[in-house]
């Protein structure tokens, strides 16, 4: 079930995701964050990397393309 | 904090610490609904880029963690700390330049491949040593330095005498073979690479023509509102789907043809598909020419790690290029969304009938295909309104064909239990959009031909893959004995597994061989070739 995110005013603003927002961090900051804080996000990213999405498309009739 | 009782003060401190990295992205409802209706404009795509930026940071962090655990992964290259320092300095000098570099599609592919290889999921026999791949960190550092105007010196690996500099181009050292190191220096807007007594110097501010020692990454820009500018990447080892590939430099004539097709496709999209064009302009930054296969069909591809990159064989015309861009961008958007949230269940093991594939598809590939074919259908639905003459029937055929495929696959995926609740909401959004499709009046012959091909494909797929249950067999047998009929339509609702390749049931493109002539008959002559 997707979790909903509330603003500080209590309004529902969207759906929670599994990706940490590092927009405000420099490379140096990110490399300095203790491992346990990023662990769930790093694990999730590694899992995605190990099971990559690769799509082959084609203009023709059915075959080997999505 | 000192005024607070100990446990509470500790809790507050912990919260502050965990603030560094505890804020997750919130996916705005508008963005989710836009994507789940098959669309997503520049704002939604911009959000996906922001999320990709954070994801690239995580990939970078993972790479640094690996070399920290095992410094030997960098071989004789300088320590990773030097890269960390230069990235930090470059970010201070120009955060925009570093962000753009990290978001370069092939940087994502490189980082993912390097990690995947370390974890046993990539790297065929004969692959370069690990330090060549991990050495990409130094290539990243030197490009960040030159982009941000930070002086820096390091060493970077070459592959068979070739050094790829992300987003810039490739230096060539013809005398070098196998893998090794070159010295690299960024200073005063000029990058100098030296090895084996040879030196390559590149001025970042100049468009350098090809030489024996330097191939610059070319760009294609198509005017319009909005304009679209992409790199035409025939160089980067990580421009393809999986393992690193050698450069395949296009001739000037090929580049000219690509640019012409690109401009025409963009003109078509801008004039007749403005919503798609606006989204593509904000989302596609790289086009990778694929080598031609058997020369009969256009092939395209994309990878989740290379957000913004489309791979494509040279298409025969601008319309094919336009629909291919739309097709692959659907994959790219959905890939970005699925980096954020789960639309499919992790443990799902079922396989499904996809009307565009000869083989049963796992749920993630199936959902990707549904989304892509939704985009193709929407393209032809609009395109059939803007063509005239003999092209009308062809466009009607393409629309009808894609519509049959999309609607059938939506029916199948709606009924499957491999989607999460959010995945079902996502699919419901697509279904909602298709409701008006059935009102479209099509050329009857075009629609009939599309139906014959889709029916033919389904029948062939069932013969090869469908495994009826004992109950279904009993029901069919009883009906046969009683002389009655039994309407069994279970295709795709079972979970057939792909049969192992090479066995007695192996096949390849069984349906393509039979349906291609019929389709070609339509597309090339406008005549209907009778079914059967």
């Amino acid at each position: 079930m997707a979790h909903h995110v509330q603003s500080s005013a209590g309004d529902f603003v969207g759906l929670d995701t599994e990706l940490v927002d590092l927009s405000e961090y420099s490379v140096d900051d990110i490399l300095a964050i203790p491992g346990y804080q990023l662990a769930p996000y790093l694990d999730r990213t590694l899992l995605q990397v190990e099971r990559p999405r690769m799509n082959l498309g084609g203009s023709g009739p059915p075959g080997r393309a999505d | 904090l000192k005024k607070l009782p100990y446990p509470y003060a500790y809790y507050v401190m912990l919260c502050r610490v965990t603030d560094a990295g505890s804020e997750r992205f919130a996916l705005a409802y508008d963005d989710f609904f836009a994507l789940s209706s098959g669309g997503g404009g520049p704002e939604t795509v911009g959000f996906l880029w922001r999320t990709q930026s954070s994801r690239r940071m995580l990939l970078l962090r993972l790479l640094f963690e690996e070399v920290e655990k095992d410094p030997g992964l960098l071989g004789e290259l300088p320590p990773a700390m030097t890269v960390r320092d230069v990235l930090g300095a470059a970010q201070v000098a120009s955060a925009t330049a570093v962000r753009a570099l990290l978001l370069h599609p092939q940087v994502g592919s490189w980082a993912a491949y390097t990690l995947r290889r370390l974890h046993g999921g990539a790297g065929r026999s004969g692959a370069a040593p690990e330090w060549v791949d991990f050495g990409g960190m130094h290539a990243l550092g030197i490009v960040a330095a030159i982009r941000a105007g930070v002086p820096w010196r390091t060493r970077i690996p070459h592959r068979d005498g070739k050094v790829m500099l992300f987003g810039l181009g490739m230096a060539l050292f013809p005398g070098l073979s196998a893998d090794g190191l070159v010295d690299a220096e960024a200073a005063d807007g000029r990058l100098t690479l030296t090895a084996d007594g040879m030196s390559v110097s590149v001025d970042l501010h100049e468009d350098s023509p090809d030489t024996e020692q330097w191939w610059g990454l070319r760009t294609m820009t198509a005017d319009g509102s909005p304009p679209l500018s992409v790199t035409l990447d025939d160089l980067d080892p990580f421009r393809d789907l999986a393992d690193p590939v050698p450069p395949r430099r296009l001739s000037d004539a090929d580049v000219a043809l690509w640019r012409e097709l690109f401009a025409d496709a963009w003109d078509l999209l801008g004039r007749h598909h403005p919503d798609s064009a606006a989204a593509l302009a904000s989302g596609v930054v790289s086009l990778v020419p694929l080598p031609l296969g058997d020369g009969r069909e256009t092939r395209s591809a994309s990878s989740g790690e290379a957000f913004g990159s489309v791979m494509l064989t040279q298409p025969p015309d601008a319309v094919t290029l336009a629909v291919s861009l739309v097709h692959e961008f659907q994959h790219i958007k959905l890939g970005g969304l699925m980096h954020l949230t789960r639309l499919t269940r992790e443990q799902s093991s079922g396989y499904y009938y996809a009307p565009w594939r000869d083989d049963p598809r796992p749920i993630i590939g199936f959902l990707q295909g549904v989304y892509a074919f939704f985009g193709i259908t929407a393209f032809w639905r609009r395109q059939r309104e803007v063509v005239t003459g003999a092209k009308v029937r062809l466009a009607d055929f393409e629309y009808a064909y894609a519509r049959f495929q999309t609607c059938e696959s939506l029916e199948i995926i709606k009924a499957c239990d491999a989607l999460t609740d959010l995945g079902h909401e996502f699919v419901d959004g697509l279904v909602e959009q298709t409701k008006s499709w059935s009102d479209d009046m099509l050329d009857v012959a075009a629609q009939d031909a599309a139906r014959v091909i889709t029916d033919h494909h389904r029948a062939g797929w069932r013969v090869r893959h469908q495994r009826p249950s004992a109950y279904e067999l009993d029901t069919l047998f009883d009906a046969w004995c009683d002389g009655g009929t039994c309407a069994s339509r279970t295709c795709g609702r079972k979970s057939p597994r792909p049969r192992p390749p090479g066995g007695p049931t192996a096949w390849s493109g069984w349906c393509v061989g039979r349906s291609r002539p019929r389709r070609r008959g339509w597309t090339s002559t406008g005549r209907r070739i009778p079914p059967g």
Side-chain angles (χ1 to χ4, degrees):
Chain A
M1 171 174 276
H3 296 282
H4 298 264
V5 179
Q6 281 182 288
S7 69
S8 53
D11 302 323
F12 289 105
V13 293
L15 299 163
D16 193 13
T17 72
E18 294 184 271
L19 184 63
V20 64
D21 183 353
L22 298 171
S23 308
E24 302 301 319
Y25 293 81
S26 69
V27 173
D28 226 27
D29 290 340
I30 286 159
L31 297 179
I33 296 173
Y36 69 90
Q37 291 181 29
L38 289 179
Y41 310 113
L42 294 171
D43 290 347
R44 183 78 191 140
T45 303
L46 201 52
L47 191 68
Q48 291 170 348
V49 162
E50 288 173 350
R51 290 188 291 184
R53 171 190 78 77
M54 297 171 188
N55 286 100
L56 295 172
S59 65
R64 308 289 298 174
D66 275 319
Chain B
L1 284 178
K2 287 179 181 173
K3 293 176 184 173
L4 294 170
Y6 165 72
Y8 187 64
Y10 179 75
Y11 173 75
V12 171
M13 287 170 67
L14 189 66
C15 285
R16 285 187 175 180
V17 172
T18 54
D19 274 348
S22 64
E23 288 288 327
R24 290 190 293 267
F25 281 104
L27 173 62
Y29 296 125
D30 284 350
D31 289 330
F32 179 77
F33 292 139
L35 292 167
S36 72
S37 58
E43 285 187 11
T44 301
V45 176
F47 169 74
L48 292 178
W49 275 114
R50 287 196 295 282
T51 65
Q52 286 294 313
S53 181
S54 288
R55 195 169 176 280
R56 294 288 164 87
M57 290 290 206
L58 291 174
L59 289 172
L60 203 57
R61 163 78 183 233
L62 284 164
L63 288 169
F64 273 97
E65 283 188 359
E66 296 294 356
V67 294
E68 189 178 337
K69 280 187 283 187
D70 180 4
L73 290 170
L74 283 175
E76 295 180 7
L77 285 157
M81 185 61 72
T82 60
V83 179
R84 175 179 177 161
D85 290 345
V86 77
L87 287 176
Q91 213 160 22
V92 170
S94 175
T96 307
V98 175
R99 182 176 183 273
L101 171 62
L102 290 177
L103 280 174
H104 185 60
Q106 285 70 38
V107 168
S109 293
W110 155 73
Y113 170 83
T114 304
L115 290 166
R116 195 179 308 128
R117 178 177 176 176
L118 195 64
H119 292 265
R124 64 183 186 279
S125 62
E130 280 174 334
W131 57 262
V132 174
D133 293 323
F134 274 92
M137 296 170 76
H138 282 272
L140 193 71
I142 198 77
V143 176
I146 190 81
R147 288 282 195 200
V150 173
W152 194 53
R153 296 179 71 169
T154 189
R155 306 186 81 192
I156 54 180
H158 68 79
R159 296 173 191 269
D160 294 323
K162 300 175 183 69
V163 180
M164 185 68 208
L165 298 164
F166 294 115
L168 296 179
M170 177 171 273
L172 310 166
F173 293 89
L176 302 179
S177 60
D179 310 300
L181 298 177
V182 303
D183 294 313
E185 180 174 9
D188 303 324
R190 178 167 286 276
L191 185 62
T192 306
L193 304 175
T194 309
D196 198 30
M198 290 181 288
S199 187
V200 179
S201 190
V202 183
D203 189 329
L204 194 64
H205 307 298
E206 293 176 2
D207 284 334
S208 309
D210 279 5
T211 68
E212 289 184 356
Q213 288 198 286
W214 177 254
W215 289 339
L217 200 58
R218 300 175 179 119
T219 58
M220 295 195 295
T221 301
D223 295 331
S225 181
L228 176 64
S229 186
V230 299
T231 57
L232 184 64
D233 195 341
D234 51 2
L235 297 176
D236 198 302
F238 294 97
R239 69 189 185 279
D240 212 318
L241 285 177
D243 293 334
V245 293
R248 206 179 62 84
R249 193 61 164 168
L250 296 177
S251 68
D252 289 345
D254 279 336
V255 173
L257 187 52
W258 267 107
R259 286 186 167 139
E260 188 181 332
L261 285 166
F262 185 68
D264 290 348
W266 192 244
D267 179 60
L268 183 155
L269 287 165
R271 278 191 294 122
H272 303 305
H273 307 262
D275 291 344
S276 292
L280 282 161
S282 60
V284 175
V285 295
S286 171
L287 198 150
V288 176
L290 291 176
L292 290 169
D294 57 14
R296 287 177 289 190
E297 304 293 348
T298 302
R299 293 177 297 116
S300 61
S302 60
S303 151
E305 300 299 344
F307 191 88
S309 176
V310 171
M311 295 163 238
L312 188 66
T313 55
Q314 194 169 75
D317 53 62
V319 178
T320 307
L321 176 52
V323 73
S324 297
L325 288 172
V326 169
H327 173 169
E328 292 305 331
F329 193 53
Q330 290 292 100
H331 286 309
I332 289 169
K333 285 185 298 181
L334 183 54
L337 176 63
M338 291 177 78
H339 281 158
L340 301 177
T341 190
R342 301 178 201 211
L343 301 180
T344 61
R345 298 192 187 283
E346 294 285 298
Q347 303 305 323
S348 58
S349 57
Y351 287 81
Y352 301 88
Y353 172 59
W356 48 86
R357 290 280 296 218
D358 291 348
D359 52 343
R361 296 293 286 144
I363 185 62
I364 291 179
F366 186 36
L367 180 59
Q368 280 284 352
V370 171
Y371 200 57
F373 274 76
F374 180 95
I376 293 170
T377 313
F379 174 89
W380 283 111
R381 187 178 191 225
R382 171 69 185 134
Q383 187 65 14
R384 63 186 281 273
E385 293 177 351
V386 301
V387 295
T388 55
K391 291 180 181 176
V392 173
R393 177 169 281 182
L394 171 60
D396 271 6
F397 168 77
E398 297 288 6
Y399 172 49
Y401 188 23
R403 190 177 67 176
F404 276 129
Q405 292 172 310
T406 303
C407 290
E408 181 168 9
S409 61
L410 280 169
E411 193 181 323
I412 294 167
I413 205 166
K414 257 176 59 180
C416 86
D417 57 5
L419 295 177
T420 61
D421 291 344
L422 194 62
H424 277 291
E425 280 193 47
F426 185 80
V427 167
D428 287 346
L430 297 176
V431 171
E432 186 65 27
Q433 295 297 311
T434 66
K435 286 181 177 170
S436 59
W437 292 359
S438 58
D439 297 337
D440 297 328
M441 299 296 291
L442 299 183
D443 179 285
V444 174
Q447 185 161 296
D448 285 350
R451 182 181 287 112
V452 165
I453 292 174
T454 48
D455 286 350
H456 172 262
H457 183 263
R458 188 187 314 104
W461 190 94
R462 285 187 182 193
V463 167
R464 286 159 180 82
H465 301 296
Q466 192 66 27
R467 299 176 188 183
S469 67
Y471 171 78
E472 286 171 317
L473 285 174
D474 287 346
T475 306
L476 288 164
F477 181 73
D478 291 345
W480 183 49
C481 290
D482 294 344
T485 59
C486 179
S488 174
R489 188 180 169 84
T490 59
C491 180
R493 296 198 178 90
K494 293 293 170 188
S495 299
R497 288 188 170 279
R499 293 174 179 172
T505 57
W507 48 269
S508 177
W510 52 272
C511 193
V512 176
R514 292 198 63 189
S515 55
R516 179 182 287 135
R518 189 173 302 164
R519 186 172 188 270
R520 283 279 168 86
W522 267 108
T523 55
S524 60
T525 67
R527 289 185 297 108
R528 181 181 182 188
I529 296 175

